[in-house]
Amino acid sequence: MSDAKWWLVCYDVHNPDRLRKCAKHMEGYGHRVQYSVFRCWLTGREVERLRWELTERLDRDDDVMLIPLCGTCVDGIVGIHGSERPPEWTDRPPRHEIV
């Protein structure tokens, strides 16, 4: 069984050029949830690779958080415009994301 799970990747990049590069890079890993927040279905190995890649692209002044989400956490996600979590947030990835 795969060790993949949902991760939130949040970043605060101070330079506009690095910000664009980071956003473009993250588009290859997941879906944008907010301007600087991505939802990604990743294995442990993919998380380590992503961390390394972002370290190569960003500066020490930039911040990145990779937050793992367990099934209970995903079940608890709610938005401000409704009482239920967005339908695309399940404890399993959509079919097109399974690798």
Side-chain angles (χ1 to χ4, degrees):
M1 182 173 204
S2 171
D3 69 335
K5 60 182 160 190
W6 287 117
W7 289 78
L8 280 184
V9 181
C10 314
Y11 53 88
D12 184 18
V13 178
H14 300 278
N15 175 280
D17 291 333
R18 287 194 314 270
L19 177 62
R20 279 189 293 281
K21 288 178 185 177
C22 183
K24 185 74 172 167
H25 188 72
M26 287 305 306
E27 287 173 355
Y29 273 92
H31 296 92
R32 187 185 298 265
V33 177
Q34 293 181 348
Y35 287 118
S36 297
V37 180
F38 280 78
R39 159 184 82 118
C40 306
W41 182 258
L42 303 170
T43 64
R45 180 179 221 122
E46 290 168 329
V47 169
E48 290 305 314
R49 183 180 67 198
L50 176 58
R51 287 182 66 217
W52 181 84
E53 291 169 351
L54 291 176
T55 299
E56 292 294 307
R57 286 170 171 75
L58 300 178
D59 213 39
R60 291 181 76 66
D61 294 337
D62 301 326
D63 293 313
V64 177
M65 290 190 304
L66 291 98
I67 305 166
L69 297 175
C70 66
T72 303
C73 295
V74 172
D75 287 342
I77 293 172
V78 295
I80 63 169
H81 298 294
S83 60
E84 297 183 14
R85 73 175 184 263
E88 66 273 9
W89 281 83
T90 63
D91 64 344
R92 302 291 301 158
R95 287 192 181 276
H96 66 277
E97 289 190 32
I98 297 176
V99 179

